[in-house]
């Protein structure tokens, strides 16, 4: 069977990773969460005191880039890849509000983007890949066979994310989550390097009113059309 690349882009917290993981499991493809890569570099910058609420030493980060290793390793228990920073599994440390608050600054640095895009292209050489992010169908894989652009009402996204963080025990208010989502939407769409835009040939899935199963069914229908072409 033809292997393809499925590129999934869209706004923060609209379930891109959930859908991407489910497609990858259904097809036995590799799944890569590129947001996790930007989060990993953010964690590096926070740990090395290059980044805080009132400071960002961009130049030092750029100089450190050759020494920063971001990679993935497949976890067969969880059925998906996990993110590693310099050999350390950092999955548990990159999803909280602290990294979320700062990640947009890191994602604007063109040298960071260039490094991560190169890694992302290397991973997809053999196809059989589902990758999600903001610039996958436009920059990383402009020739991807299937491009999905995901969206959902911002209040619904904030509510879902709030419940997720609460379940993890994060002490955070709904307003904080809502503000973080709207400001990241703004940063993602307005940055000068590789902003979030819908590719002309992307199909749009708005999951405000549909279930996980429904969105998976829709996506797999498109996948099977592309594979049989
Ligand atoms: O998908 P996410 O929320 O985990 O992504 C974290 C941040 O990284 C998000 O604010 C935008 C940025 N990002 C990006 O600029 N390009 C990508 N391909 C993926 C994420």
């Amino acid at each position: 069977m033809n292997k393809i690349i499925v590129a999934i882009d869209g706004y923060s917290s609209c379930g891109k990773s959930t859908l991407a993981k489910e497609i990858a499991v259904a097809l036995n493809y590799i799944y890569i969460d590129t947001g996790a890569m930007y989060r990993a570099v953010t964690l590096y910058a926070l740990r090395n005191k290059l980044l805080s609420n009132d400071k960002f030493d961009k130049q030092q980060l750029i100089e450190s880039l050759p020494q920063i290793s971001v990679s993935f390793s497949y976890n067969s228990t969880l059925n998906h890849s996990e993110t590693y920073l310099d050999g350390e599994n950092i999955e548990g440390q990159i999803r909280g509000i602290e990294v979320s608050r700062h990640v947009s600054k890191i994602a604007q640095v063109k040298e960071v983007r260039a490094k991560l895009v190169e890694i992302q292209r290397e991973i997809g050489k053999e196809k059989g890949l589902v990758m999600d992010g903001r610039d996958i169908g436009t920059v990383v894989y402009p020739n991807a066979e299937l491009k999905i652009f995901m969206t959902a009402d911002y209040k619904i996204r904030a509510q879902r994310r709030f419940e997720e963080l609460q379940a993890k025990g994060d002490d955070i208010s709904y307003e904080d989550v809502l503000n973080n989502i709207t400001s990241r939407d703004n940063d993602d769409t307005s940055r000068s390097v590789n902003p979030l835009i819908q590719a002309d040939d992307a199909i749009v899935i708005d999951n405000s009113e549909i279930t996980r199963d429904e969105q998976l069914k829709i996506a797999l229908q498109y996948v099977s059309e592309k594979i049989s072409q």
Side-chain angles (χ1 to χ4, degrees):
M1 206 196 295
N2 279 340
K3 284 199 168 183
I4 66 167
I5 289 184
V6 182
I8 304 185
D9 290 303
Y11 293 97
S12 291
S13 302
C14 62
K16 297 185 298 296
S17 306
T18 304
L19 177 63
K21 262 181 226 162
E22 289 174 349
I23 297 175
V25 169
L27 301 174
N28 203 14
Y29 278 16
I30 296 168
Y31 159 62
I32 295 294
D33 168 5
T34 62
M37 302 172 82
Y38 291 92
R39 288 172 181 272
V41 176
T42 306
L43 183 66
Y44 175 94
L46 288 168
R47 281 179 172 177
N48 288 278
K49 312 261 181 283
L50 305 178
L51 184 62
S52 64
N53 285 338
D54 43 25
K55 167 188 156 182
F56 176 29
D57 191 342
K58 181 173 150 184
Q59 202 45 46
Q60 186 56 50
L61 177 68
I62 293 170
E63 281 167 31
S64 308
L65 277 176
Q67 284 97 57
I68 304 176
S69 148
V70 179
S71 58
F72 292 93
S73 179
Y74 186 73
N75 179 327
S76 54
T77 314
L78 297 176
N79 238 343
H80 62 80
S81 300
E82 293 190 300
T83 320
Y84 285 69
L85 172 65
D86 298 330
E88 175 192 350
N89 183 332
I90 45 149
E91 275 299 318
Q93 292 158 71
I94 54 174
R95 313 279 172 192
I97 196 73
E98 180 67 2
V99 169
S100 299
R101 273 198 191 110
H102 293 286
V103 65
S104 286
K105 273 178 261 176
I106 299 295
Q108 284 173 31
V109 181
K110 74 172 189 311
E111 291 82 354
V112 171
R113 301 202 73 88
K115 177 184 171 105
L116 299 186
V117 167
E118 196 184 317
I119 300 171
Q120 291 154 12
R121 288 189 177 142
E122 189 63 36
I123 295 171
K125 275 193 167 157
E126 309 290 322
K127 300 209 174 189
L129 171 73
V130 186
M131 186 172 270
D132 80 351
R134 305 294 188 289
D135 55 350
I136 312 305
T138 50
V139 174
V140 185
Y141 289 108
N143 297 323
E145 287 82 358
L146 178 61
K147 299 179 188 176
I148 298 176
F149 189 87
M150 287 182 71
T151 183
D153 179 87
Y154 72 103
K155 286 187 185 152
I156 294 177
R157 287 188 275 140
Q159 185 60 34
R160 287 176 185 158
R161 185 88 187 112
F162 172 60
E163 285 167 14
E164 231 174 76
L165 289 169
Q166 258 194 334
K168 279 203 291 182
D170 272 18
D171 180 22
I172 188 164
S173 69
Y174 168 76
E175 283 67 34
D176 273 350
V177 177
L178 187 72
N179 289 337
N180 179 256
I181 284 183
T182 49
S183 84
R184 282 202 290 144
D185 282 358
N186 188 42
D187 292 341
D188 283 343
T189 49
S190 66
R191 71 167 166 255
S192 55
V193 218
N194 307 0
L196 170 66
I197 20 174
Q198 186 188 319
D200 291 341
D201 49 350
I203 59 135
V204 178
I205 298 182
D206 180 333
N207 67 12
S208 308
E209 306 289 345
I210 59 173
T211 64
R212 265 173 75 163
D213 284 351
E214 284 166 338
Q215 75 176 8
L216 179 62
K217 216 171 137 193
I218 295 168
L220 289 179
Q221 182 59 42
Y222 281 108
V223 168
S224 61
E225 282 167 22
K226 293 292 176 186
I227 286 178
S228 60
Q229 270 172 15

